[in-house]
Amino acid sequence: IDIIQMKLIEWDTAGKKQQLHQLLRTEDGMGGIPYNHVTDAAIRISLENEFPMFRVRFFSTDWKPETTPTYVFVVQETSKIIVCYARPPTRGHDAILLQSALGELVNLFFGQLDSDGETIFSMDSFTNRMLSEVMTARRGFDVSALSTCDHFYMTNETMQMIEQVEYPPIDGFHVDSVDIERDSLRIYDNWKFSPSLDETKAYLRDLPSLVARSSSSGEAVSWGMVTPFGWSTNLFTLPDFRGTGVSEFLGWHLCRRIIRQGLRPFMFVEIGNSAMLAAMKKKAVWKRWDTANGDGFPIHFSSIKRRIGTTPSTVHPRANI
């Protein structure tokens, strides 16, 4: 594929972020749902929060929806890991444009990636294949699959119902705000994809989060939180308390907190987690993002790292891809 030399647009001020938000919501006259779940939430969160531990940036290709798809990338920068979400366009892909955009995005963050950093991408299947082709041309880097997930979200009608209906209390448990000093280490230790402890504390402090406590001990036994990208994560219940209904109880109240902060509840569930996936499909409050033929719209999480045994001097920042 011939690659176009290009420069991505950065939407780096409050005014520009609001403009991008409006453009995405009006594209195709449909608001882009659920294409815009991540971009909508990430822009809203970014406008309301200044995170001392990391920053969230927004990039896109040129805005020409009448002739070409628009690719938007949401990038979270931390000290060691860059997390990037690639929004799939609503009108189908352009392979040349996408590969060019991915190549330029890697160039922008090449310094950190080349110095033993890691970049985690979340993206649709086509973008996942294009990313592998882009990185194959850059000798010295490996792309590793982390997980493949189905995308679940709440409709406007479900969100209204969550707001209005009280979930029955569960004897022996109560929901509570997170106590950063008391709860953060336990939450961090039980989070499969946890960043640093300090970044976990930042998530808990600045983004919607909630715990369910044992009424007898006061200790957190179940919890959930939201990332700067807007999706719910680390929905976890300690093994001794599973099967009590506390996770459903906690989840209902967490969704209500998310909704009251102006966000839409949505999450990614690993396709390999068959029990969780089956349970989600049975829950009337959650809707899976399906294609027109009823199949799921999988989201892939992949990691890019410099290959073991290579050194920065052997990896060229701009390969001829």
Side-chain angles (χ1 to χ4, degrees):
I1 296 176
D2 295 326
I3 301 301
I4 306 168
Q5 293 300 314
M6 67 180 306
K7 183 176 178 63
L8 292 173
I9 300 168
E10 182 168 8
W11 306 77
D12 55 357
T13 66
K16 289 180 180 178
K17 292 174 187 177
Q18 291 170 341
Q19 181 185 7
L20 176 63
H21 183 247
Q22 185 60 34
L23 287 170
L24 291 172
R25 288 179 64 84
T26 57
E27 184 183 23
D28 273 354
M30 56 178 277
I33 292 175
Y35 290 90
N36 287 339
H37 286 168
V38 173
T39 51
D40 185 272
I43 291 172
R44 288 174 181 268
I45 290 170
S46 175
L47 289 172
E48 295 176 4
N49 296 273
E50 292 185 6
F51 301 104
M53 297 299 302
F54 49 84
R55 65 173 176 163
V56 178
R57 302 169 69 183
F58 300 86
F59 299 90
S60 79
T61 54
D62 285 340
W63 194 269
K64 299 178 181 178
E66 67 283 356
T67 58
T68 58
T70 303
Y71 290 97
V72 179
F73 305 98
V74 185
V75 180
Q76 177 191 346
E77 294 181 273
T78 69
S79 57
K80 274 290 185 182
I81 297 178
I82 294 171
V83 183
C84 176
Y85 172 81
R87 172 190 178 269
T90 59
R91 298 186 180 183
H93 284 283
D94 180 317
I96 295 175
L97 180 61
L98 177 56
Q99 283 207 350
S100 302
L102 290 170
E104 182 58 20
L105 193 68
V106 171
N107 290 337
L108 286 171
F109 298 98
F110 184 84
Q112 183 169 341
L113 185 61
D114 195 35
S115 59
D116 291 326
E118 179 182 9
T119 299
I120 297 175
F121 270 84
S122 54
M123 57 212 151
D124 66 289
S125 299
F126 188 84
T127 305
N128 187 45
R129 293 196 299 272
M130 293 297 100
L131 179 67
S132 295
E133 292 186 17
V134 167
M135 296 313 300
T136 297
R138 294 170 183 262
R139 293 175 299 169
F141 290 101
D142 288 322
V143 179
S144 304
L146 298 176
S147 62
T148 301
C149 303
D150 271 345
H151 179 147
F152 289 88
Y153 65 98
M154 287 190 175
T155 64
N156 293 340
E157 293 75 18
T158 300
M159 290 166 60
Q160 184 177 13
M161 184 267 291
I162 293 286
E163 276 270 71
Q164 296 174 346
V165 176
E166 292 296 330
Y167 196 93
I170 297 182
D171 188 43
F173 303 99
H174 64 276
V175 294
D176 193 14
S177 297
V178 174
D179 183 320
I180 301 298
E181 297 308 317
R182 180 182 185 182
D183 301 322
S184 56
L185 182 59
R186 172 175 286 191
I187 292 173
Y188 168 76
D189 285 340
N190 288 283
W191 189 4
K192 179 180 177 181
F193 300 109
S194 61
S196 67
L197 177 58
D198 286 341
E199 288 171 285
T200 301
K201 289 181 178 180
Y203 279 30
L204 296 169
R205 181 180 59 249
D206 299 326
L207 297 165
S209 62
L210 207 62
V211 298
R213 300 190 188 279
S214 164
S215 298
S216 58
S217 69
E219 294 299 322
V221 300
S222 183
W223 51 80
M225 55 202 293
V226 169
T227 74
F229 294 86
W231 61 70
S232 298
T233 188
N234 194 21
L235 304 171
F236 186 85
T237 300
L238 294 175
D240 289 347
F241 297 91
R242 294 172 187 171
T244 63
V246 68
S247 61
E248 295 280 348
F249 178 61
L250 181 281
W252 186 278
H253 286 279
L254 177 62
C255 287
R256 176 176 284 186
R257 175 162 292 193
I258 292 168
I259 293 165
R260 288 178 176 175
Q261 293 197 23
L263 302 172
R264 180 184 302 277
F266 69 99
M267 69 175 73
F268 300 127
V269 178
E270 289 188 74
I271 291 176
N273 188 345
S274 56
M276 178 67 171
L277 202 60
M280 289 293 292
K281 290 178 180 178
K282 293 179 181 178
K283 295 178 182 178
V285 296
W286 291 105
K287 179 178 177 63
R288 190 178 73 163
W289 183 3
D290 288 340
T291 60
N293 61 7
D295 294 330
F297 193 100
I299 299 296
H300 303 265
F301 286 78
S302 294
S303 167
I304 303 174
K305 290 182 179 180
R306 184 156 51 80
R307 186 172 301 135
I308 296 174
T310 63
T311 62
S313 61
T314 65
V315 183
H316 197 277
R318 288 183 181 269
N320 293 319
I321 57 174

